Amino acid sequence: MNKNGPPPPYEPPPSAPPSYAQSVGVSPASPFTPAEAYANGPTIVTTIVPLGTGATHTICPHCHAEIDTTTRTEPGMIAYISSVVIALLGCWFGCCLIPCCIDECMDVHHTCPNCKAYLGRYRR
């Protein structure tokens, strides 16, 4: 038993973890008051998400919705170069078009399914 009496009926709350500004040593003071900061418009920070062969989960920079991109494929430069090389080797009767049907020779174009904005291309 404690000499000063019974223990307190509750534990004091733990201290809050330091904020990001406190942990990196940045002064939290801002040259703007909140009203002045919003008068210049909100600051938007974007990150570049690498586009791949499949749909990519990202935030659309145009409509700001969280989306999975819509993809479509088109023959890329590798398909056209391969077709010309095959044609030069003597395969004239449709064989030179085979690279235009192979997925590994296709470029992938990404669009937003929400606002239909073009987001980029993955080149082979």
Side-chain angles (χ1 to χ4, degrees):
M1 197 154 169
N2 192 351
K3 291 182 185 180
N4 297 333
Y10 63 91
E11 289 186 26
S15 64
S19 69
Y20 177 76
Q22 292 170 339
S23 64
V24 296
V26 176
S27 172
S30 171
F32 300 109
T33 61
E36 290 172 340
Y38 286 107
N40 296 333
T43 302
I44 298 173
V45 177
T46 59
T47 57
I48 297 175
V49 177
L51 300 175
T53 58
T56 302
H57 187 79
T58 186
I59 295 175
C60 177
H62 301 281
C63 66
H64 306 292
E66 187 173 343
I67 58 161
D68 287 327
T69 60
T70 303
T71 59
R72 71 179 162 80
T73 56
E74 287 183 1
M77 189 60 67
I78 290 191
Y80 293 128
I81 291 172
S82 300
S83 295
V84 168
V85 169
I86 291 171
L88 290 174
L89 292 175
C91 297
W92 290 92
F93 299 108
C95 294
C96 60
L97 299 177
I98 290 174
C100 294
C101 301
I102 298 175
D103 284 339
E104 284 76 20
C105 296
M106 301 282 196
D107 288 348
V108 181
H109 296 270
H110 293 263
T111 56
C112 174
N114 191 28
C115 67
K116 308 297 186 232
Y118 183 75
L119 300 176
R121 169 175 53 181
Y122 174 75
R123 294 183 185 186
R124 301 282 178 164

